[in-house]
Amino acid sequence: VTTTITIKQATTVQLFQQPRGAPMTNTALQGMRICSLLPSVTDICISLGLSDNIVAVTHECDLGRIHSKRSSHNKEKVHVVTKSGLNVSLSQQQIDDAVKAQIKIGMGSISLYPILEDQFKASNPTIVLTQNLCQVCAPSPENVSSIIHACSFDPSTEIYPFQPATLMEVVDSFEEVARVCLVPERGKAMKLDFLDKMDRLKAICNPKKSARKKIKVLLLEWIDPPYDGGHWIPDMIEWVGCEVVRVGNTSIKSKQVTWDDIYTSDPDVVLVACCGFDLERNVKDARDAADKLRPLRATRENRIFACNGDLNFARPGPNILGGIGVVAKCAYNYDNDVMNAFDTLDFMDAQGFSMEWERVNMNSQDDENTDSCGIDDIEDIYPDFSAPHKAACEENKMSYEDPESGYHVFTELAHKKRGKCCGSGCRHCPYNHENVKNKIGKIQQPAFLFEGVSIPQSDKSPLVPLSEANNDNVKVLVLFFSGGKDSFLAIRATVKKYSEQNSDKICLILLNTFEAKSRIVAHQEIESETITRQAEHLNIPLIGVPLHRGSSEPYLERISRALDHVATRVGLSDKKGIDALLFGDLHLEHIRKWRDEELGKLGIPLEYPLWQVPYSELFTDLLRSEIEIKV
């Protein structure tokens, strides 16, 4: 490093020790030419209104956003002054090997982010913003100094390396960048606004801290080999009232861990947010690591999520607010109170605070050559555990060996011997999972996911709650509900019919089937959690029926179990006391024929409220409902 180049440490302490002096003039600001070698700092500069001053950025910075925020008269080129020294199409293991090899031989010899000297020289910056935190993430101050010297730039060119290590240091860096870039008041305003948004996000999660055990969250910053999240990541998780899963020895920085240590830590939720990768790449890599992730309880409970690690976690800038939001969304995904409160936060969808995350199903193997979501149809049968379970019960055994995993599974007899539901979501629970708290994520047998909330009904409404179903003038109707528009319109048609008759009341119950492991509705690609939220919004009871791939139990028998539970819940002596099963079919003759032949065996009348109703009428009714439709 040449002694003629000024490298200033941009920490809060040193910046505040600098003389305050008089406010900077517009001329001084106009003459400032910023080279940002860190995407997070580029994001900060944009938020500070400094897009016109940015003359050079990295290949990972958002050029489009810079130009969109520039003055219309500013036609100066923004130079891209770095390139990746790695082939990002390599596997994670190959990238990790390459990084470790370059670190071993010395970063000064071959940089992972080489600076393009010709572009850097053409940009002619007066100030260079970089980092001194991670030698993998961006050019180091030493790399920059060498280039400045090679370009024969003015020795007064200043280099500011930023190195925030905690969440609050990231927030403080907004002021640090602003002070270095001559707009300190903008930095103060940005920091206060950001802290206010963080507090509002925290407030919707904090009430849950005293109500139940904290949700344990593990963020994987790399997956092959696995690295946990370091620096500001634990603070982001704790900010929304969750517990950070500590894997192996405690470390401030991200560290390599073992899969055995991960299994021992037993996280409730796993976030795959690999550094530098977008959502699409992290989804792919999470699926590729399915064999490693599958032993986790979080996988069995379908709580593995891929995130945009580059946007929301790896960049210590404004977009980490979106990362905190992602943690909350994934951790409290089954908590309607938090999710509803989250929807009231007007800033989470604002530009600069976008969130990207996706639940990753590890329990089924998708066929890459089809458009199927990997969930089989309700009529499909997979011979597996139902037969050995039945044989074990006939032999009065308390357990049997699962043919797929080799684990010993309690039989229904063992659960009856216990005398109550243990709340764990057992495969053969005979108590309809009455003590399971997270029914959406755990039930293995038919169980009510939502029982409705008793509220005063209009005299014109024919709907009554479950508690009033066992009355002579009340019809009990079970509508097979998939979460789509046809199911919704079938509800409207049924309610309209009985409203116009102005005679019988109805207890309407929704029935939804989903694949037991993935919790996805066949063909619809909708999560059972979404179905439950729909039922809650409509305030109509919902019974969930998990369908097991590994079971020779016929579909009809599974539905029969669910209807038995409905009959018991509403006080009927037999499921044949249910007045009708309703379906939203429109015109497919073969589907209706199958239902009539198979489900007709249950001895309950079948009705089709929408059968052959003209599309024009259905469309008009859909518009009249004013409901939001997701296509």
Side-chain angles (χ1 to χ4, degrees):
V1 180
T2 59
T3 56
T4 57
I5 304 301
T6 305
I7 300 179
K8 296 188 176 181
Q9 189 63 36
T11 64
T12 303
V13 175
Q14 291 194 26
L15 282 173
F16 273 87
Q17 287 176 345
Q18 294 175 11
R20 300 292 177 102
M24 293 296 177
T25 64
N26 288 337
T27 302
L29 183 59
Q30 290 173 0
M32 182 175 59
R33 300 173 61 81
I34 300 171
C35 170
S36 173
L37 297 179
L38 200 60
S40 60
V41 173
T42 302
D43 294 339
I44 295 171
C45 288
I46 294 171
S47 297
L48 290 171
L50 295 171
S51 294
D52 281 324
N53 299 91
I54 299 174
V55 296
V57 294
T58 76
H59 62 285
E60 293 182 326
C61 294
D62 191 343
L63 270 176
R65 189 156 177 256
I66 295 171
H67 287 296
S68 70
K69 297 293 183 179
R70 277 184 148 193
S71 303
S72 58
H73 59 78
N74 188 347
K75 305 299 182 183
E76 184 171 5
K77 179 181 179 180
V78 178
H79 297 266
V80 177
V81 297
T82 68
K83 66 178 182 179
S84 176
L86 289 171
N87 180 355
V88 294
S89 65
L90 297 174
S91 70
Q92 288 203 24
Q93 178 66 68
Q94 291 171 323
I95 292 174
D96 183 71
D97 290 342
V99 170
K100 288 176 179 175
Q102 292 205 26
I103 291 175
K104 186 175 181 179
I105 63 176
M107 294 299 296
S109 57
I110 305 177
S111 173
L112 294 178
Y113 288 89
I115 298 175
L116 305 175
E117 185 176 329
D118 57 338
Q119 293 296 320
F120 187 82
K121 187 172 184 177
S123 69
N124 192 29
T126 60
I127 181 173
V128 181
L129 309 178
T130 185
Q131 59 88 40
N132 200 22
L133 186 70
C134 173
Q135 59 183 331
V136 176
C137 295
S140 68
E142 289 75 21
N143 296 143
V144 178
S145 297
S146 298
I147 292 294
I148 289 176
H149 184 66
C151 293
S152 301
F153 277 176
D154 188 325
S156 64
T157 302
E158 297 178 341
I159 305 171
Y160 286 91
F162 295 88
Q163 50 181 359
T166 67
L167 178 58
M168 284 306 158
E169 287 180 5
V170 172
V171 180
D172 288 340
S173 72
F174 301 162
E175 281 192 298
E176 296 169 13
V177 173
R179 187 173 296 278
V180 166
C181 295
L182 315 181
V183 286
E185 295 305 318
R186 297 183 196 177
K188 290 178 182 178
M190 180 180 173
K191 176 180 176 179
L192 290 174
D193 180 65
F194 195 86
L195 287 172
D196 175 67
K197 290 180 171 67
M198 283 177 57
D199 286 339
R200 289 169 62 189
L201 184 51
K202 186 177 188 178
I204 70 172
C205 303
N206 267 1
K208 298 295 169 183
K209 292 174 68 175
S210 59
R212 66 183 182 191
K213 185 179 178 181
K214 286 185 177 181
I215 298 171
K216 298 192 301 181
V217 177
L218 170 66
L219 184 139
L220 291 175
E221 195 169 297
W222 204 251
I223 204 168
D224 187 17
Y227 283 75
D228 62 0
H231 293 117
W232 50 87
I233 300 297
D235 298 338
M236 295 169 67
I237 294 170
E238 290 176 344
W239 190 261
V240 291
C242 297
E243 178 183 338
V244 180
V245 172
R246 306 287 182 180
V247 181
N249 297 325
T250 302
S251 172
I252 295 176
K253 295 183 177 182
S254 173
K255 65 182 185 303
Q256 186 173 336
V257 298
T258 68
W259 284 107
D260 285 340
D261 284 339
I262 291 175
Y263 301 149
T264 301
S265 69
D266 188 31
D268 298 312
V269 174
V270 176
L271 306 180
V272 179
C274 299
C275 182
F277 288 162
D278 61 11
L279 176 62
E280 182 179 0
R281 174 64 189 265
N282 279 323
V283 168
K284 175 186 179 299
D285 287 354
R287 286 177 175 159
D288 289 344
D291 289 343
K292 297 292 187 181
L293 292 165
R294 195 167 284 123
L296 288 166
R297 177 172 57 86
T299 300
R300 296 194 296 273
E301 295 178 0
N302 201 26
R303 303 192 78 181
I304 306 291
F305 299 90
C307 315
N308 188 329
D310 180 48
L311 175 70
N312 291 138
F313 294 96
R315 297 187 184 188
N319 282 317
I320 64 168
L321 183 65
I324 299 172
V326 168
V327 175
K329 276 278 193 179
C330 297
Y332 299 106
N333 202 246
Y334 295 132
D335 192 314
N336 291 312
D337 291 339
V338 175
M339 292 298 98
N340 291 334
F342 197 99
D343 291 339
T344 67
L345 299 177
D346 53 0
F347 58 84
M348 290 311 300
D349 292 326
Q351 187 174 15
F353 298 124
S354 58
M355 302 181 299
E356 292 186 13
W357 60 280
E358 180 179 320
R359 191 192 302 273
V360 183
N361 172 29
M362 295 292 168
N363 294 306
S364 63
Q365 297 298 320
D366 294 353
D367 183 351
E368 296 180 356
N369 298 317
T370 71
D371 293 327
S372 170
C373 64
I375 307 303
D376 302 282
D377 199 1
I378 53 180
E379 296 85 29
D380 292 335
I381 295 175
Y382 292 82
D384 196 356
F385 63 71
S386 183
H389 174 249
K390 183 178 180 180
C393 289
E394 290 174 351
E395 297 174 15
N396 204 34
K397 292 182 177 179
M398 297 297 106
S399 68
Y400 67 95
E401 185 177 297
D402 180 71
E404 181 178 7
S405 66
Y407 295 156
H408 282 273
V409 181
F410 284 127
T411 63
E412 183 176 313
L413 297 179
H415 296 302
K416 287 181 176 178
K417 187 176 180 180
R418 180 188 289 118
K420 63 179 181 180
C421 172
C422 67
S424 299
C426 302
R427 179 185 285 177
H428 301 294
C429 177
Y431 306 104
N432 299 106
H433 302 293
E434 60 185 18
N435 292 329
V436 174
K437 294 182 179 179
N438 176 19
K439 286 186 170 63
I440 300 174
K442 289 186 176 181
I443 66 167
Q444 300 297 317
Q445 298 291 337
F448 274 93
L449 300 178
F450 176 65
E451 294 199 353
V453 179
S454 294
I455 57 175
Q457 294 283 356
S458 165
D459 292 337
K460 295 182 180 180
S461 173
L463 295 171
V464 300
L466 291 174
S467 58
E468 299 179 21
N470 193 15
N471 291 317
D472 292 338
N473 68 327
V474 176
K475 291 183 177 293
V476 177
L477 308 177
V478 177
L479 189 148
F480 283 57
F481 185 74
S482 66
K485 68 183 188 318
D486 296 343
S487 297
F488 172 66
L489 290 173
I491 293 174
R492 287 178 59 84
T494 301
V495 172
K496 180 181 179 182
K497 170 185 173 182
Y498 285 93
S499 295
E500 292 175 346
Q501 289 180 358
N502 199 25
S503 55
D504 291 328
K505 295 289 186 179
I506 59 172
C507 177
L508 183 62
I509 299 167
L510 307 180
L511 183 150
N512 174 252
T513 60
F514 53 87
E515 205 272 332
K517 287 186 176 181
S518 68
R519 322 309 271 190
I520 302 292
V521 179
H523 301 305
Q524 299 294 331
E525 298 187 32
I526 299 175
E527 297 176 354
S528 59
E529 172 202 351
T530 300
I531 300 293
T532 303
R533 294 185 70 185
Q534 290 176 327
E536 291 172 345
H537 177 77
L538 296 168
N539 196 26
I540 299 177
L542 169 70
I543 184 169
V545 185
L547 303 176
H548 295 273
R549 286 171 175 264
S551 175
S552 57
E553 179 185 31
Y555 171 74
L556 186 63
E557 187 175 326
R558 199 70 171 164
I559 296 300
S560 180
R561 277 176 176 257
L563 297 177
D564 284 338
H565 185 37
V566 169
T568 301
R569 178 63 183 83
V570 300
L572 300 175
S573 59
D574 184 86
K575 61 175 169 284
K576 293 183 179 179
I578 296 172
D579 292 278
L581 304 181
L582 311 180
F583 304 90
D585 298 306
L586 303 178
H587 56 78
L588 295 178
E589 293 282 358
H590 68 286
I591 296 294
R592 177 166 181 168
K593 181 180 179 182
W594 180 88
R595 296 194 196 282
D596 289 341
E597 291 177 353
E598 294 301 316
L599 297 177
K601 297 174 184 177
L602 296 170
I604 304 172
L606 275 57
E607 295 182 4
Y608 302 85
L610 305 181
W611 188 252
Q612 294 187 344
V613 175
Y615 281 114
S616 59
E617 292 183 21
L618 295 176
F619 184 66
T620 299
D621 191 43
L622 196 61
L623 291 177
R624 190 182 297 117
S625 74
E626 297 186 345
I627 201 75
E628 290 187 6
I629 305 297
K630 180 179 179 181
V631 180

